[in-house]
Amino acid sequence: MSHSTKKQTPSIRFWPALHKSDSIGVFFIVVLICLVMSFITPEFNTFVNINVLARSVSVMAIVALSQMVIIGTGGMNLSVGAIGGLVCMTSGSLMAKMNVPVAAAVTAGLLVGALCGLVNGWLINRVHHFTNRINVTSFLVTLATASLFTGVNLGMTRAVPIYGIPDSFVNIGRITIGGISLLLFLIIPIVLAVAFVLHKTGIGRQFLAVGGNLHAAKLSGISIPRVMILSNIFSAVLAGIAAIIFLTRLGSAQPSVGSEWLLFSFAAPLIGGTRLDGGQVNVFGTVMGALLLALVANSMVHLQVSVYWVTFVNGLIILGAVGLERFRTMGSENIKGV
Amino acid sequence: MGSHPMDQQSNMALTLSNISKAYPGVKALDNVSLNMEKGKVHALIGENGAGKSTLIKIISGVIGYDNGTMTVNNTPVTFTGPRQAFRCGINVVHQERNVVPTFSVGENILLEKIAGNSFGMVNKDQMYEQAREFIDMVGLQAPPEQKVADLSAAEIQLIEIAKALSSKAHILLLDEPTSSLSFHEANSLLKTIRRLRDQGVSFLYVSHKLEEVFDIADTVTVLRDGKNVGSALPIEKLDRNRLVSLMVGRTENGKALPARVLNNKNEVLAVQNIKSRLSRSSNSFVLHKGEILGWYGLVGAGRTELARVLMGYDPALNGDIFINGKKARITSVSQAMTRWKIGYLSESRKEEGLFLTSSIILNVSASVWKSLGNAFGLLKNRDEKQLAEKYTRRLKIKTPGISQIVNALSGGNQQKVSFAKTLATEPDILIVDEPTVGVDVNTKHQIHELIVELSQKGVSIIVISSDLTEVVHLTDRILAFRDGKICADLKNSKDYGAMSRQVMEKCLKKGGTADRALEKNRLPN
Amino acid sequence: MLANMKKKLLAGDLIGILIILAVIITLLGFFGEGFLSSYNLENLSKTIAVTIIVGLSQLAVLSIGHLNLALGAMGCLTGMFTGFLLQSYQLPLVLLILLGLSAGALAGFIQGLFIVRTKINPFIVTLAFVSIFMGLVTGITKGEVFSMQPDVFKLINTTNVFFGIPLLLILSLAIAAVLSILFFKTVFGRQLLATGSNLKAADFAGINTLFIVVCAHTISGFLAGAAGILQISRMGSATPTIGTDWLLVSFAAPILGGTLLSGGKVSVLGTILGAALMSIIVNGLFLLDVSQYWFQTFIGGILLASYGIDKLRRVYLLQKQS
């Protein structure tokens, strides 16, 4: 805005002003909740509670990033949870039942995740028809593959949880540094890596270019099929990493892992200023969004609100977040796009 | 061409010889030639529908052509897609923006580079440094870090030019580049073009604005009805009158209807100072019973916006509308249709007029379902079919049957279906927006006949058209629009030569009050 | 009469699904032990009954080019509410059911109104409403199960009419018939399809498209509620798990039946056949001793196959046109 005032003849804006990334606003809300909660309930500020929070945030943030990558390309991934579940069970059973070394089991699990992403990307390219938009295609495909992957998961494991995860692996989740769970520190390099890929590498920029304007991206020579495949693999691997972290946290592999990831995977990026239409992501904001959701859930427990209402509030938060964005961009739409 | 073909040829950036292109039912281009010299600005002008956009599409590889030859830098070429034209150094700066709104200026300019770099890193500082060169080249006043979404249409236009230059384009096609720019912005764009031309870039400049053409062009090619009426004419040898008459010409097809004297002076519609959310200025006019009123203006002159106020799609913010002397507050489309008996034929039948994947039956009856249904809202298929049959016969729609899906019909027949949909409401006031765009000559005749027939039955009709021949031949009176404002109310003498010049002058006039009003209007944005 | 019907089926793309159905039924008749037993057929047709209504609930919003992820939650909300009413109040059955259904319709109405008012992407809105409705249900009931049902209500599940066809299936087909009339015989239905086919053109035809969008979601909620009530009568109790597995079949049934996802074209008969196909395949897998855990894989696979068919059909249509 400041830049237009200095010009002599301000003119009609072509794009409705996309709102500025508002992760700072989310950050302040997060701080506010923390302050209020520590006054109201003494247990809130204890190491125990902080670690409870840290653990859930670490998983949620990475799941949210996994979804954010795909939203950035202008699509959606309904199979994040299914992929997470499959990876969790694969790594879990390799470690616990076949005595595969931890590192190898984790790698194998992530490879399975990558394969799921490849399947998603490949199918999107196959099913896509130019009369459809990319988000419709990705919705349909991942709706089906979510069922496919969950089916494979349940079929292989017969829905039986796997116990006896090696201590060497579970202990990772118990390590604390200065009283704070290692897991929280573990996600820092992952968050940085996602930010690096999306902002600093050619392929990451291609993801966002496709999300921002598919037509322009195509004209510039960006290969849409390649972007679809690689972005889906990237997203699936992130979902896999989230599942592995969940595994260390839980100490057992549950087939139901991931079944409740869908809502917050969309909520956290949207709260953090990622555009649903694609083309713009906010990594820090997404992490803040995940933190906010985790905090609200945690606070409600402390305030002795029934756990059943947490879902309800989550729904309201996502509507509020998207509604706010909508409200912010409303003013600029009175000017007719040329 | 001249007497030294060899000399000229070596200087040619792009030549098209005897290019023809036919669509089913329409010959879009007929033996068109175009010769662009290197380092020159070549203007391509012609009325709407003269074939300019088809020609641009051919040059940029979007569509093919039936016969003729094309060379780039004296090498014969055939394009199978836009990427190929791109590689030959041809780049189109389209009216629809091909930028990524969420990216920075620098990244948009060097998007090609990102596309070619899948597995490397993007060094933004280095990129912005490179982009700065092109930003300076086009004279863009924005840093490379700036996000494109925050820029104005003019700045985005410059980005597109910079983008083209960065991909080593040496032939740039500018399609109506100043249509969405303010006066100052347009001027600075022309300056940029001149500077780049002097550096050896060749431009094909498509514009309606003759002042600009005289300002910038070295040579001019004029198209009319898909044919060359002037090829590579040097600008020094032309004057404004000559250019206007070349553009409007007298076309063989279609004769003017005899001028009518309307006895009925009843004002069916009187509009006083209305303005809507989308229109730029307020306007007043009257429409008489049984009159055909033409609204002429260049694309984007604000005619459709005004029509939509009357249609209830974009209700008026202030001003008064009187229908048959009664003050009317038109608040919704359905109210305009049923209470005020106003019918509207949209300018884009595919986007706003038709249900393309549905049958003729559904399309024709769509506006009158409410009156076809009984008290319980139940419809009889038979009633709908009868209605569709009636209009299929009346408008001579060529179709295997009324159950035919509209998408499978030809453009002309689609337009007739769109007409039928509007007529089914039996309007007293009919507004037809570009009624004959993209239809064949035959259908055009039929549509004109239909409009006259309706007016004889007492329907008052507003014909919005960018086809001057059509407006002069068909209407009783002409309102000329310019920059959102009615700038002239002319009785139509049906003398094509005189009328067309008069109307064109009004619409093209520069620096008038309308222009100043426009500048003022844009400030608050 | 018969020739006419055949032509209709061909034109409506239903011949494919009919052949698949015929083949699968024949195969199951031979190889699926107990497939043709009256017990299995009765159970199967009850499952089909619920699936049809679930598919139609999605169909209602597909007709305008939207989708409804919250239909399972709406079904659950209605089912639980009706279960609670049945257990707690001694009122006439019809009144109780109507009260229950109005909860579903209200849920859909709120959702539709929200979409129209805020103009937020329907996908996100319905996703959020999943949580809101489920949150409401679990928050209010705290996971309670309502299993006391009056005897009259139980009759809905146990009654068989003509040749042992379950009343449940008759009810569901009756709802489908009403919906079919609504879509194809009324002004309102035309307006729904027109809105889905081309929103702008519908606007210009004087159709109040905002109203139509709200109505489509209301109908979707109403039908999801109806499915919820049929489900509690089948199970004999209302539990919060109702509707958790509806989402996939709700898309699969219409798509298999030839409804395009881009809006404007719907097939009620196709949805019925699609619902039947899904249910029969699941039933067949069960009879063929395929582990239940693999079912989801098959369902996902069928859905993917239907996209393939849909794409082929589009490409074919496009070639035919040019």
Side-chain angles (χ1 to χ4, degrees):
Chain A
M1 286 293 154
S2 61
H3 126 112
S4 74
T5 49
K6 73 173 182 243
K7 289 199 321 185
Q8 289 195 322
T9 48
S11 54
I12 299 170
R13 300 206 165 279
F14 182 62
W15 303 96
L18 305 171
H19 73 103
K20 304 279 181 295
S21 49
D22 263 341
S23 47
I24 297 299
V26 183
F27 180 72
F28 279 125
I29 297 174
V30 165
V31 171
L32 193 72
I33 293 178
C34 288
L35 283 176
V36 171
M37 283 311 294
S38 37
F39 276 113
I40 297 177
T41 48
E43 310 95 65
F44 183 80
N45 244 343
T46 56
F47 276 120
V48 178
N49 189 47
I50 288 173
N51 279 333
V52 168
L53 254 174
R55 285 180 186 170
S56 61
V57 168
S58 54
V59 174
M60 283 169 79
I62 293 174
V63 172
L65 290 175
S66 158
Q67 188 68 263
M68 185 198 74
V69 169
I70 298 297
I71 296 177
T73 65
M76 43 182 79
N77 185 358
L78 305 192
S79 65
V80 275
I83 294 172
L86 193 57
V87 171
C88 184
M89 295 309 277
T90 308
S91 292
S93 52
L94 284 176
M95 284 177 207
K97 294 203 167 152
M98 297 169 206
N99 298 320
V100 175
V102 167
V106 168
T107 314
L110 292 181
L111 279 177
V112 168
L115 184 69
C116 292
L118 179 68
V119 170
N120 276 343
W122 183 78
L123 282 170
I124 288 171
N125 289 330
R126 298 300 302 171
V127 170
H128 188 62
H129 186 261
F130 65 90
T131 53
N132 269 347
R133 289 188 307 162
I134 222 73
N135 61 356
V136 175
T137 310
S138 60
F139 171 82
L140 291 175
V141 166
T142 56
L143 179 73
T145 55
S147 173
L148 207 70
F149 301 149
T150 308
V152 172
N153 178 356
L154 298 180
M156 303 283 279
T157 62
R158 317 197 97 3
V160 181
I162 296 163
Y163 298 98
I165 303 291
D167 283 345
S168 59
F169 183 68
V170 178
N171 282 339
I172 299 173
R174 298 198 181 123
I175 300 173
T176 57
I177 298 174
I180 292 172
S181 168
L182 173 71
L183 294 179
L184 194 63
F185 296 104
L186 212 62
I187 71 162
I188 291 173
I190 295 167
V191 172
L192 290 178
V194 173
F196 177 79
V197 169
L198 289 178
H199 292 300
K200 299 281 178 199
T201 69
I203 190 70
R205 298 316 285 171
Q206 288 184 13
F207 289 175
L208 298 181
V210 169
N213 186 340
L214 186 107
H215 186 65
K218 223 181 194 165
L219 272 182
S220 304
I222 292 173
S223 155
I224 309 297
R226 179 161 61 200
V227 164
M228 286 300 129
I229 286 187
L230 291 178
S231 60
N232 274 288
I233 291 179
F234 190 39
S235 165
V237 169
L238 283 171
I241 292 173
I244 300 285
I245 294 178
F246 199 72
L247 188 60
T248 72
R249 202 181 117 188
L250 218 60
S252 66
Q254 304 286 340
S256 63
V257 168
S259 57
E260 296 189 339
W261 287 2
L262 190 63
L263 182 79
F264 73 77
S265 80
F266 278 100
L270 293 180
I271 291 170
T274 294
R275 269 175 96 214
L276 186 61
D277 297 338
Q280 175 188 288
V281 296
N282 189 330
V283 176
F284 177 69
T286 301
V287 176
M288 281 299 127
L291 184 55
L292 179 70
L293 289 170
L295 259 179
V296 170
N298 184 270
S299 306
M300 286 174 77
V301 173
H302 282 293
L303 296 172
Q304 278 154 16
V305 178
S306 148
V307 69
Y308 295 117
W309 287 105
V310 175
T311 330
F312 180 74
V313 172
N314 278 347
L316 288 185
I317 290 175
I318 184 170
L319 280 186
V322 189
L324 205 64
E325 178 191 327
R326 183 69 213 167
F327 181 69
R328 238 183 264 133
T329 52
M330 206 82 103
S332 59
E333 286 188 9
N334 288 330
I335 303 162
K336 193 190 175 196
V338 181
Chain B
M1 285 200 295
S3 50
H4 308 290
M6 284 307 288
D7 276 14
Q8 279 203 335
Q9 245 176 26
S10 57
N11 251 340
M12 287 300 165
L14 170 77
T15 68
L16 281 83
S17 328
N18 304 320
I19 297 279
S20 294
K21 168 81 186 173
Y23 289 115
V26 211
K27 191 137 198 185
L29 291 178
D30 190 2
N31 270 324
V32 169
S33 299
L34 182 100
N35 298 296
M36 274 178 70
E37 269 181 80
K38 273 183 196 154
K40 291 280 162 65
V41 177
H42 190 110
L44 176 66
I45 62 171
E47 271 205 290
N48 304 30
K52 290 171 301 181
S53 37
T54 312
L55 198 62
I56 293 172
K57 277 188 195 153
I58 287 175
I59 297 173
S60 56
V62 175
I63 55 173
Y65 44 91
D66 303 336
N67 37 41
T69 52
M70 190 153 124
T71 71
V72 174
N73 290 334
N74 305 318
T75 323
V77 287
T78 29
F79 299 145
T80 50
R83 288 293 301 165
Q84 247 181 327
F86 199 89
R87 279 194 209 104
C88 283
I90 298 175
N91 220 313
V92 193
V93 179
H94 276 295
Q95 275 170 309
E96 72 263 30
R97 317 288 169 208
N98 282 318
V99 293
V100 181
T102 50
F103 273 26
S104 67
V105 171
E107 277 190 296
N108 266 293
I109 292 175
L110 297 173
L111 198 57
E112 277 279 303
K113 219 174 177 147
I114 292 175
N117 168 20
S118 285
F119 301 104
M121 272 174 52
V122 171
N123 183 342
K124 280 203 182 144
D125 293 335
Q126 198 188 337
M127 201 167 190
Y128 290 159
E129 205 47 56
Q130 282 173 9
R132 202 160 271 137
E133 182 192 333
F134 299 105
I135 289 175
D136 292 341
M137 236 166 156
V138 298
L140 178 64
Q141 298 292 322
E145 301 84 11
Q146 178 90 42
K147 211 161 112 185
V148 166
D150 299 334
L151 297 181
S152 70
E155 289 163 315
I156 289 173
Q157 193 113 39
L158 291 178
I159 291 176
E160 295 231 34
I161 296 177
K163 198 168 144 189
L165 294 175
S166 82
S167 62
K168 307 232 165 22
H170 54 89
I171 302 172
L172 289 189
L173 276 57
L174 304 180
D175 188 3
E176 295 287 350
T178 58
S179 61
S180 50
L181 306 190
S182 77
F183 185 60
H184 291 288
E185 289 169 337
N187 266 349
S188 80
L189 178 69
L190 294 186
K191 233 180 266 168
T192 303
I193 293 174
R194 230 171 271 134
R195 205 175 51 242
L196 292 171
R197 173 193 65 187
D198 296 341
Q199 290 169 17
V201 181
S202 319
F203 286 92
L204 185 66
Y205 193 91
V206 184
S207 179
H208 272 122
K209 302 184 180 167
L210 296 188
E211 282 74 18
E212 271 173 29
V213 170
F214 278 106
D215 207 4
I216 191 94
D218 299 302
T219 47
V220 182
T221 290
V222 187
L223 289 186
R224 193 203 309 151
D225 295 333
K227 295 193 185 83
N228 275 118
V229 285
S231 183
L233 308 167
I235 196 83
E236 308 87 54
K237 295 189 180 161
L238 289 168
D239 61 14
R240 205 193 147 79
N241 278 342
R242 170 105 182 92
L243 210 51
V244 170
S245 52
L246 274 177
M247 263 171 89
V248 293
R250 187 182 273 282
T251 46
E252 308 89 81
N253 50 52
K255 268 208 314 261
L257 300 148
R260 300 190 295 183
V261 180
L262 294 172
N263 301 320
N264 202 332
K265 279 287 168 198
N266 281 352
E267 285 183 7
V268 174
L269 174 70
V271 167
Q272 293 170 357
N273 286 319
I274 59 167
K275 190 178 182 311
S276 74
R277 208 164 48 92
L278 298 179
S279 61
R280 283 171 285 183
S281 356
S282 51
N283 280 303
S284 311
F285 72 95
V286 291
L287 177 68
H288 300 112
K289 175 106 180 143
E291 183 183 33
I292 306 178
L293 177 67
W295 285 7
Y296 184 81
L298 301 174
V299 172
R303 297 163 297 165
T304 300
E305 286 78 1
L306 185 54
R308 292 198 174 175
V309 176
L310 302 176
M311 209 34 234
Y313 188 71
D314 180 26
L317 294 179
N318 46 31
D320 297 314
I321 301 170
F322 295 92
I323 292 171
N324 291 321
K326 244 197 289 175
K327 187 164 175 173
R329 253 178 52 81
I330 304 172
T331 51
S332 74
V333 179
S334 99
Q335 192 218 20
M337 276 181 356
T338 52
R339 172 126 184 247
W340 306 111
K341 299 301 249 174
I342 302 175
Y344 175 68
L345 178 83
S346 164
E347 58 178 332
S348 69
R349 56 173 174 267
K350 292 206 175 192
E351 271 98 54
E352 297 171 351
L354 295 172
F355 305 102
L356 283 173
T357 50
S358 307
S359 67
I360 293 180
I361 308 174
L362 185 132
N363 274 281
V364 173
S365 54
S367 330
V368 287
W369 280 328
K370 269 189 194 149
S371 50
L372 283 181
N374 65 11
F376 302 103
L378 285 170
L379 276 173
K380 280 204 196 96
N381 288 349
R382 199 169 29 137
D383 293 344
E384 283 183 299
K385 279 184 187 156
Q386 274 170 358
L387 192 76
E389 291 279 7
K390 181 177 143 197
Y391 281 99
T392 306
R393 247 180 288 127
R394 185 161 164 211
L395 301 186
K396 303 192 185 72
I397 298 171
K398 265 190 218 125
T399 167
I402 52 171
S403 322
Q404 179 72 24
I405 301 299
V406 171
N407 212 1
L409 297 175
S410 74
N413 282 308
Q414 284 184 5
Q415 185 70 351
K416 285 180 178 176
V417 174
S418 196
F419 239 102
K421 180 186 165 203
T422 310
L423 290 184
T425 61
E426 295 175 351
D428 292 337
I429 299 168
L430 177 63
I431 307 172
V432 290
D433 200 347
E434 304 288 0
T436 58
V437 155
V439 306
D440 55 298
V441 181
N442 229 336
T443 310
K444 195 167 168 176
H445 274 309
Q446 290 175 347
I447 288 176
H448 287 174
E449 272 165 25
L450 177 74
I451 289 174
V452 172
E453 185 196 317
L454 287 167
S455 78
Q456 281 161 353
K457 284 185 183 155
V459 181
S460 312
I461 301 165
I462 295 173
V463 178
I464 304 176
S465 175
S466 305
D467 177 350
L468 195 46
T469 329
E470 176 171 83
V471 173
V472 175
H473 283 177
L474 191 62
T475 64
D476 301 311
R477 194 157 55 93
I478 301 172
L479 299 183
F481 279 69
R482 181 181 151 70
D483 295 326
K485 186 120 187 91
I486 298 173
C487 60
D489 184 341
L490 308 163
K491 179 142 184 33
N492 189 356
S493 64
K494 307 256 170 150
D495 171 4
Y496 185 69
M499 278 321 286
S500 60
R501 191 150 304 145
Q502 219 179 334
V503 172
M504 206 57 154
E505 283 295 339
K506 293 280 183 197
C507 293
L508 295 175
K509 200 168 161 193
K510 200 173 89 177
T513 46
D515 212 76
R516 279 200 296 278
L518 174 67
E519 282 301 309
K520 226 189 258 167
N521 252 326
R522 283 191 178 172
L523 278 175
N525 293 333
Chain C
M1 183 68 197
L2 211 68
N4 189 17
M5 217 166 103
K6 195 177 147 198
K7 201 174 133 198
K8 245 186 179 160
L9 288 176
L10 272 170
D13 301 316
L14 290 180
I15 194 75
I17 189 169
L18 275 176
I19 292 172
I20 297 172
L21 260 177
V23 169
I24 288 178
I25 290 174
T26 317
L27 284 177
L28 283 175
F30 279 112
F31 302 109
E33 210 176 314
F35 179 72
L36 294 175
S37 71
S38 63
Y39 172 77
N40 186 54
L41 285 181
E42 186 183 326
N43 248 327
L44 177 59
S45 44
K46 284 177 183 171
T47 311
I48 292 174
V50 177
T51 314
I52 287 173
I53 303 298
V54 171
L56 291 177
S57 168
Q58 194 66 264
L59 188 76
V61 279
L62 287 180
S63 72
I64 56 159
H66 281 196
L67 43 81
N68 184 3
L69 301 183
L71 55 82
M74 290 173 179
C76 182
L77 183 79
T78 311
M80 291 297 280
F81 181 57
T82 314
F84 164 76
L85 290 177
L86 290 170
Q87 181 162 327
S88 325
Y89 298 98
Q90 308 288 325
L91 291 170
L93 186 65
V94 179
L95 186 67
L96 290 177
I97 289 178
L98 279 179
L99 269 174
L101 284 175
S102 62
L106 182 68
F109 174 76
I110 292 170
Q111 181 172 288
L113 199 66
F114 200 89
I115 290 171
V116 166
R117 282 273 160 223
T118 61
K119 297 196 166 59
I120 299 173
N121 181 320
F123 169 81
I124 287 295
V125 174
T126 64
L127 180 65
F129 270 105
V130 175
S131 303
I132 289 179
F133 294 141
M134 284 316 286
L136 270 178
V137 169
T138 48
I140 294 171
T141 63
K142 310 252 184 297
E144 202 182 329
V145 173
F146 305 106
S147 47
M148 301 255 289
Q149 295 180 344
D151 292 337
V152 208
F153 186 73
K154 285 180 186 154
L155 284 178
I156 297 176
N157 184 37
T158 51
T159 310
N160 289 345
V161 280
F162 335 106
F163 318 111
I165 299 173
L167 177 65
L168 224 52
L169 185 63
I170 302 283
L171 277 176
S172 141
L173 289 175
I175 292 174
V178 170
L179 200 68
S180 195
I181 291 172
L182 189 75
F183 270 129
F184 303 116
K185 294 283 173 204
T186 68
V187 173
F188 176 72
R190 292 281 200 286
Q191 293 183 336
L192 273 177
L193 294 177
T195 303
S197 172
N198 185 345
L199 188 86
K200 271 241 168 112
D203 271 332
F204 278 110
I207 295 167
N208 185 349
T209 49
L210 297 183
F211 172 74
I212 295 292
V213 169
V214 176
C215 283
H217 280 271
T218 309
I219 295 172
S220 179
F222 178 86
L223 290 173
I229 293 175
L230 293 187
Q231 184 70 8
I232 62 168
S233 87
R234 259 209 84 188
M235 301 196 308
S237 65
T239 66
T241 56
I242 294 169
T244 42
D245 53 356
W246 285 2
L247 188 63
L248 215 59
V249 289
S250 81
F251 282 103
I255 294 175
L256 283 172
T259 295
L260 294 180
L261 272 128
S262 41
K265 185 174 177 260
V266 297
S267 170
V268 173
L269 189 57
T271 306
I272 294 172
L273 294 178
L277 182 63
M278 289 297 280
S279 311
I280 289 173
I281 290 175
V282 171
N283 183 252
L285 291 172
F286 188 76
L287 294 176
L288 293 173
D289 266 344
V290 174
S291 154
Q292 222 170 345
Y293 300 116
W294 285 104
F295 283 12
Q296 287 215 36
T297 310
F298 282 95
I299 295 173
I302 298 167
L303 202 55
L304 281 173
S306 76
Y307 301 159
I309 297 166
D310 185 60
K311 181 173 178 178
L312 283 179
R313 196 188 295 148
R314 280 164 190 260
V315 172
Y316 168 75
L317 280 175
L318 217 72
Q319 277 171 352
K320 212 171 116 187
Q321 265 169 35
S322 56

